[in-house]
Amino acid sequence: MDGVISGAAWRALPPEAPLDMPVQSLRARPPRRTGGMPSRPSATWLRRLLVLGAALALTAYASHEMWLVLNSGRPTPLQAFVLVLFVVLFAWIALSFTSATCGFFRLLAGPARRLGIAAGGPLPRPGVKTALLMPSYNEEPARIMAGLQAIHESLAASGALDRFDIFILSDSTEPGAWIAEEAAYLELRRRTGDDALGEGGRIFYRRRPKNTERKAGNIADWVRRWGGAYPQMLVLDADSVMDADTILRLADAMERHPDVGLIQTLPIITGGNTLFARMQQFAGRVYGPLIAEGIAWWHGSEGNYWGHNAIIRTQAFAEAAGLPELPGRKPFGGHILSHDFVEAALLRRAGWAVHMVPWLRGSYEESPPSLMDLAVRDRRWCQGNLQHAAVLPARGLHWVSRLHLLTGIGSYITAPLWLIFLVFGVLLAIQARFIRPEYFPAGPSLFPEWPVVDPVRAMWVFIGTMGLLLAPKLMAWIALLFHGTDRRGCGGALRAFLSMLLETLVAGLLAPVTMLTQSVDVAAILLGRDSGWNAQRRDDGSVPFGQVVRLYWRHTLFGLIFGAAAWLVSPYLALWMSPVVLGLALAIPLAALTARRDVGLGLRRLGLLLTPEEAAPPLVLSRAKALTMEWRGIAGEADVARLFREPALLEAHRRMLPPPRRPRQDPFDPALLMGLAKLQEAQRLEEALCLPRAELSAVLADARGVARLAALAEGKAA
């Protein structure tokens, strides 16, 4: 590793090229770019009329049928409340169905080639330089470096490596993780040959001392310091892998369309081993393209941003997407957590087109390995999406951008709405079963008012609703039959169909568990509880059974009570409610079973829940997987003391320290002051390394602190 830092030309960062990124106002319209949007698909208004009009028609018809189910005359307040809930929830289902139906026909028609992006053919060679940004927050360095090395090798094989620079943007707060990142960065430079390029190196590393505004602030810091040197930036995530073919086509399309501000790919989920991860992987690979093709078709140039695996015009992002701080206290006030939807909306507000290209393959990510890990991530996403309520009234937003924000809010608000709908449905049945009706209301009346609930019509409304929910899955399987490579990659038509049934069954049982979890999350956020921001697990989904019981015993209890109440009303009602009751009652064994790797891998051996990327792994994916194993074999411990055992690492760490505090300009850092004071009293390195995390991080980012720690390591305590 000594060769990595040899020579005065070695540097971890290029010269800064500042780019102003002003904070945007939500109360004032910004100036819009001129020149229109030639990249907008033709007849977009007609596409939207078709999708939204059909959803509205379906909702109107279903609402009328539900009105007849409940009462053909004057409904009770309870019936009216249930009807309103039904209308809202059915509208959500209807819009998803009509959009998915359009996606079905798009899949049958073949790739759209929007923006001139072809799925194959000769590779373009972009004329401008693009920065690949890899944000990291207390992640496993082996995974990040393996993915970046695979991308680097893919770009090198394409002959276009000189068109790209790689930035590792660390926001890690754990001192051990930070030191491990630095060691891995040095090893990555050695393995890719970047260390031999001196000033011409293309792989850079920067750690922020303060992770203000989380990932959004991490990217914004890069834009403000180096954005002026890179017309385009491609944002990755810690589990992202992208093929050079995809990266080059994205960079070329961005360069050729000056009205485009952002192009979002459809990341394919890979690497799942547990049953839960493999279910998500199969669903994302088979149903995901249908859903994405549908929304891309009618969203047009008003697309959305999912936070990673997307290319962005740097100047547009700097001018339009500086996020404001929301007024008020957490969880609704403060920095915007789910920044991506808002950034896309602000880009579009400023006149930039935002496109999605779901037909372009070669973009990959991973998923949470268990229901418990999904719940942790969902809690943060829930708070971030609920924050969007404060962004909705922003002046100048396109109505489709507002619809994106509403969709994000609705993806979590619908959980408590479904729960309320189910509970009030049972209450309605209890009312009909146990409360004596008033046949003759107050006042003169010639005829009695008979309470009417039509069970046959209710059955058909239920069947119709379930049909709209499940139809997109069936359409996705039918579309799969017309794509031979994908069909064979999923194990053939029969195995793919059986996989779809298995995924639908297990997902259906897990749905009420997720519904209750999200309902609790929404309630907690509304009561003012902040979710925080934790690094997520990406591999092992195993959780001790006792912990699973602690997490889901309330779900089980609620399911048993709910089922008993339905049974007391009527065995037939209990039968109707059985999917919900079973899912909740079996929450503990379901959560434990779906988190097991042996179950997931056993199904793989049976040919179920397969994906094309498993049958014929793309080169960049198989290379990233092999490299991950290599990196884990050579990676050292996440141990701060390692810094003082490896002289080359210590020297590199000193070179990568941030600039010192500027007197009279920068504020004092209390953690640094306390840490330095405690270091002066420390007698041994082990004692110094027991500082609180914030203080240890602060002294490790300061030349005086590093010098004192090095002296303690050498036994020079005086």
Side-chain angles (χ1 to χ4, degrees):
M1 193 177 291
D2 292 327
V4 175
I5 62 170
S6 61
W10 181 84
R11 55 191 169 88
L13 287 169
E16 292 195 5
L19 186 61
D20 188 32
M21 187 173 179
V23 173
Q24 300 298 307
S25 170
L26 300 181
R27 298 182 178 180
R29 294 174 181 265
R32 292 172 57 88
R33 63 170 295 277
T34 58
M37 286 195 296
S39 66
R40 171 180 287 166
S42 59
T44 304
W45 68 271
L46 187 59
R47 301 179 183 189
R48 293 168 180 169
L49 180 63
L50 175 64
V51 172
L52 299 176
L56 185 62
L58 283 172
T59 303
Y61 176 75
S63 301
H64 177 261
E65 290 298 303
M66 191 64 176
W67 167 268
L68 296 178
V69 167
L70 293 176
N71 198 312
S72 58
R74 185 170 56 193
T76 66
L78 186 56
Q79 289 174 326
F81 183 69
V82 170
L83 179 62
V84 170
L85 284 176
F86 176 82
V87 172
V88 172
L89 293 170
F90 192 91
W92 181 268
I93 295 171
L95 179 58
S96 300
F97 171 77
T98 56
S99 179
T101 302
C102 294
F104 172 67
F105 289 108
R106 277 294 327 137
L107 282 179
L108 295 184
R113 295 180 64 94
R114 189 191 303 173
L115 303 178
I117 298 178
L123 279 178
R125 185 175 177 83
V128 300
K129 207 160 194 178
T130 300
L132 306 183
L133 308 184
M134 172 63 83
S136 172
Y137 178 74
N138 296 330
E139 297 281 353
E140 180 192 13
R143 174 185 299 278
I144 293 175
M145 301 306 167
L148 288 178
Q149 185 178 343
I151 293 172
H152 185 278
E153 291 177 0
S154 183
L155 288 170
S158 72
L161 189 59
D162 61 329
R163 297 288 86 195
F164 299 90
D165 284 349
I166 295 174
F167 285 80
I168 303 165
L169 305 178
S170 173
D171 255 1
S172 294
T173 56
E174 291 287 348
W178 170 21
I179 301 305
E181 281 176 354
E182 289 186 335
Y185 164 65
L186 299 180
E187 178 65 14
L188 178 66
R189 295 187 74 242
R190 186 190 69 78
R191 291 168 69 98
T192 58
D194 199 69
D195 59 333
L197 299 178
E199 288 287 343
R202 300 189 182 94
I203 305 178
F204 305 106
Y205 176 88
R206 185 275 284 138
R207 177 189 175 269
R208 284 200 302 167
K210 302 289 184 182
N211 62 336
T212 309
E213 297 183 57
R214 313 302 175 100
K215 183 177 178 180
N218 196 357
I219 300 298
D221 176 79
W222 178 88
V223 171
R224 292 185 174 108
R225 294 177 64 184
W226 294 282
Y230 299 91
Q232 302 171 172
M233 58 180 183
L234 194 151
V235 181
L236 301 166
D237 207 359
D239 56 7
S240 295
V241 176
M242 294 186 71
D243 189 87
D245 184 289
T246 303
I247 294 173
L248 289 170
R249 295 184 193 280
L250 287 173
D252 174 69
M254 180 68 75
E255 185 180 358
R256 287 187 292 101
H257 295 84
D259 67 310
V260 175
L262 186 148
I263 307 174
Q264 174 69 63
T265 65
L266 174 64
I268 298 299
I269 298 175
T270 63
N273 290 317
T274 65
L275 173 56
F276 185 82
R278 292 188 61 77
M279 285 172 50
Q280 288 193 307
Q281 182 173 286
F282 177 82
R285 185 61 177 85
V286 177
Y287 317 144
L290 177 135
I291 296 169
E293 287 281 2
I295 61 177
W297 183 75
W298 67 275
H299 286 176
S301 54
E302 284 74 40
N304 209 351
Y305 174 37
W306 295 338
H308 57 89
N309 293 38
I311 194 166
I312 304 172
R313 189 176 303 278
T314 313
Q315 183 70 42
F317 192 80
E319 292 175 355
L323 296 181
E325 186 168 335
L326 299 178
R329 301 178 62 184
K330 294 180 179 180
F332 292 106
H335 303 302
I336 297 174
L337 295 181
S338 293
H339 55 91
D340 39 16
F341 280 35
V342 180
E343 289 161 346
L346 294 178
L347 279 170
R348 182 59 191 83
R349 182 177 74 161
W352 297 97
V354 178
H355 288 272
M356 180 183 293
V357 288
W359 63 88
L360 184 62
R361 297 291 183 256
S363 177
Y364 309 101
E365 65 173 345
E366 295 180 359
S367 67
S370 71
L371 187 64
M372 292 72 75
D373 293 289
L374 178 69
V376 171
R377 188 186 71 176
D378 255 12
R379 178 64 172 79
R380 184 179 76 243
W381 285 9
C382 179
Q383 180 176 334
N385 279 276
L386 293 183
Q387 276 186 318
H388 292 167
V391 183
L392 274 174
R395 292 179 60 84
L397 294 185
H398 193 280
W399 69 267
V400 176
S401 296
R402 296 188 201 274
L403 186 60
H404 292 322
L405 298 174
L406 278 171
T407 301
I409 296 170
S411 62
Y412 291 95
I413 288 294
T414 50
L417 291 183
W418 274 114
L419 179 61
I420 294 170
F421 180 77
L422 291 172
V423 170
F424 274 77
V426 172
L427 291 178
L428 193 62
I430 292 174
Q431 181 188 62
R433 174 71 173 81
F434 295 109
I435 299 178
R436 182 178 179 180
E438 291 290 340
Y439 296 103
F440 295 92
S445 177
L446 293 176
F447 302 100
E449 291 189 0
W450 303 100
V452 177
V453 175
D454 188 338
V456 175
R457 196 182 298 271
M459 179 186 68
W460 284 111
V461 169
F462 175 80
I463 292 173
T465 304
M466 295 304 297
L468 292 190
L469 276 171
L470 299 177
K473 296 188 176 187
L474 183 60
M475 288 189 290
W477 176 76
I478 294 172
L480 187 72
L481 301 182
F482 290 87
H483 297 81
T485 302
D486 289 349
R487 182 184 68 248
R488 290 186 293 272
C490 291
L494 179 59
R495 282 196 175 94
F497 185 76
L498 293 176
S499 298
M500 181 187 69
L501 293 180
L502 175 63
E503 187 277 334
T504 301
L505 174 63
V506 180
L509 290 173
L510 291 176
V513 182
T514 303
M515 173 193 69
L516 190 56
T517 300
Q518 290 182 345
S519 299
V520 172
D521 288 345
V522 170
I525 291 167
L526 293 177
L527 291 173
R529 288 177 53 191
D530 183 30
S531 67
W533 192 292
N534 299 311
Q536 65 185 61
R537 296 193 307 168
R538 303 183 188 274
D539 277 325
D540 186 14
S542 60
V543 175
F545 188 74
Q547 184 177 343
V548 177
V549 173
R550 287 193 296 273
L551 288 172
Y552 292 105
W553 70 267
R554 296 176 184 85
H555 298 69
T556 301
L557 180 61
F558 180 83
L560 294 175
I561 294 174
F562 192 70
W567 180 267
L568 289 174
V569 175
S570 166
Y572 296 104
L573 178 63
L575 183 63
W576 280 98
M577 296 291 184
S578 59
V580 175
V581 173
L582 275 176
L584 290 170
L586 299 175
I588 294 172
L590 280 172
L593 183 68
T594 54
R596 291 178 54 172
R597 291 168 59 94
D598 57 342
V599 177
L601 296 177
L603 289 171
R604 178 181 178 179
R605 286 191 291 270
L606 292 175
L608 297 177
L609 300 178
L610 296 178
T611 62
E613 287 68 30
E614 289 179 308
L619 180 59
V620 70
L621 265 187
S622 57
R623 182 61 178 151
K625 183 177 180 180
L627 286 171
T628 300
M629 302 308 296
E630 287 183 23
W631 274 94
R632 285 174 176 165
I634 63 174
E637 298 178 1
D639 179 17
V640 177
R642 175 184 181 184
L643 184 64
F644 306 101
R645 295 194 300 266
E646 301 178 19
L649 179 58
L650 178 59
E651 175 61 22
H653 177 82
R654 284 179 162 138
R655 291 195 182 200
M656 291 186 282
L657 288 176
R661 174 184 173 273
R662 297 168 298 177
R664 301 180 183 273
Q665 297 185 53
D666 298 330
F668 286 103
D669 183 354
L672 175 60
L673 296 177
M674 287 295 296
L676 290 174
K678 291 178 181 179
L679 283 186
Q680 292 305 314
E681 296 185 357
Q683 297 296 314
R684 295 177 298 109
L685 179 64
E686 293 77 10
E687 180 184 349
L689 297 184
C690 291
L691 290 175
R693 183 181 67 178
E695 295 175 9
L696 183 56
S697 294
V699 297
L700 283 170
D702 183 85
R704 295 164 297 173
V706 173
R708 176 60 179 169
L709 289 169
L712 290 172
E714 295 173 4
K716 302 174 182 178

